[in-house]
Amino acid sequence: MSRYALVTGGSRGIGRAVCVELARRGYPVVINYNSNTAAAEQTAALIAAEGGTSELLPFDVADAKAVEAALEKWQEKHPDDYIAVLINNAGIRHDQLLVFMQDGEWESVLNTTLGGFFHVTRRLLKDMMTSRWGRIVNMASLSGVKGLPGQANYSAAKAALIGAMKALAQEVAPRGITVNAIAPGFISTDMTKDLDEKELKKMIPVGRFGRPEEVAALVGFLVSEDAAYITGQTISVNGGLYT
Ligand code: NAP
């Protein structure tokens, strides 16, 4: 039985760097994404260049039925394997002051981050439990720890993700499964390209935005055997931006 790693939102940004890191650690990587096939293929090419293997598995993490159907199909193709490492990374922002926030802005952000965590994790947990080994890492945010104005939807989704992570960590610890969260600060990706980096970096003690690889390095450690005693934690990667 081979252990696979699944990264949601693996086509771009932090997810792409995480895919490459897990491939370097020897995992065959399942690259999930929503719609950007060209970007997902670039992630696959980076993995291949490192001598790793990967496959694309597009689905919308917010859509419970789509998640179920895609993972069912994957399992049929891989009857003897299981997804032992799950990185819940897919996320979106729709920033707006709460007083102006539309239903769709609230719901889409909650459904992607929190719904996505629920749909994908529930489906993959059984195999991790019967195999008595698993690693789940959830991409939270500084926004979910501290709260950021203009992001009530995003802060709520990420804070809820941290709460769910803490509960699940206690449920599955006896089965050799660890569940943690990472709270990145400002990382240079498509998600942050509209922000005023010159202004914002003045607040960051390290004096710059982070790189996706700097988040991926922590994911690599958390999924390793060395991190078997770390669970239920939220670890910040934020250049010293005090939370
Ligand atoms: P990004 O560059 O915008 O990439 C987002 C990724 O998520 C893409 O691969 C996208 O797929 C995928 N995705 C979005 N909605 C999806 C859905 N419904 N189903 C499946 N996949 C979906 O974002 P990023 O900056 O790398 O952020 C990755 C994670 O880190 C997010 O959870 C984000 O909230 C969190 N985070 C980021 C920062 C930061 O500063 N960048 C800070 C804190 C936390 P497509 O390519 O198909 O659209």
Side-chain angles (χ1 to χ4, degrees):
M1 195 181 233
S2 294
R3 290 177 179 173
Y4 277 68
L6 167 66
V7 181
T8 68
S11 51
R12 293 183 283 127
I14 294 171
R16 171 181 285 173
V18 170
C19 286
V20 172
E21 170 69 28
L22 296 176
R24 278 189 193 136
R25 285 179 178 265
Y27 284 101
V29 178
V30 183
I31 305 168
N32 161 260
Y33 60 103
N34 193 18
S35 58
N36 199 335
T37 304
E41 282 169 351
Q42 280 179 37
T43 302
L46 288 172
I47 290 173
E50 301 263 349
T53 59
S54 69
E55 56 193 272
L56 306 192
L57 193 67
F59 57 81
D60 176 356
V61 296
D63 180 341
K65 288 203 174 94
V67 171
E68 195 61 34
L71 292 175
E72 197 58 44
K73 224 165 118 192
W74 185 87
Q75 196 65 70
E76 279 166 20
K77 264 177 60 189
H78 296 268
D80 299 326
D81 306 320
Y82 86 106
I83 293 171
V85 171
L86 165 62
I87 315 301
N88 287 307
N89 166 78
I92 53 169
R93 341 176 341 228
H94 283 304
D95 296 357
Q96 182 61 271
L97 295 173
L98 189 91
V99 69
F100 301 123
M101 195 173 284
Q102 302 298 306
D103 292 353
E105 290 168 332
W106 177 262
E107 285 157 13
S108 60
V109 171
L110 266 290
N111 290 345
T112 304
T113 286
L114 193 57
F117 159 84
F118 175 59
H119 303 139
V120 181
T121 307
R122 177 180 57 179
R123 177 64 179 72
L124 298 180
L125 206 50
K126 277 183 214 136
D127 279 346
M128 290 187 202
M129 290 174 82
T130 48
S131 305
R132 293 193 160 268
W133 197 93
R135 293 283 186 270
I136 301 172
V137 179
N138 304 290
M139 215 46 80
S141 171
L142 171 77
S143 187
V145 178
K146 183 179 187 279
L148 289 177
Q151 291 199 320
N153 50 358
Y154 187 84
S155 296
K158 296 299 192 184
L161 180 65
I162 290 169
M165 173 279 291
K166 288 180 180 169
L168 180 61
Q170 295 170 65
E171 291 179 17
V172 299
R175 298 271 180 163
I177 303 168
T178 67
V179 192
N180 291 289
I182 297 178
F186 294 102
I187 309 297
S188 299
T189 68
D190 291 345
M191 187 179 273
T192 50
K193 69 180 177 203
D194 63 327
L195 301 182
D196 185 350
E197 183 170 346
K198 215 171 141 216
E199 205 43 49
L200 286 166
K201 73 183 186 188
K202 291 181 192 158
M203 313 186 309
I204 305 170
V206 169
R208 60 173 176 84
F209 276 18
R211 290 182 290 108
E213 294 73 19
E214 292 173 313
V215 180
L218 177 57
V219 175
F221 174 66
L222 287 174
V223 308
S224 72
E225 283 305 336
D226 289 341
Y229 204 58
I230 299 173
T231 195
Q233 303 304 309
T234 304
I235 304 174
S236 293
V237 180
N238 63 16
L241 201 53
Y242 195 63
T243 49

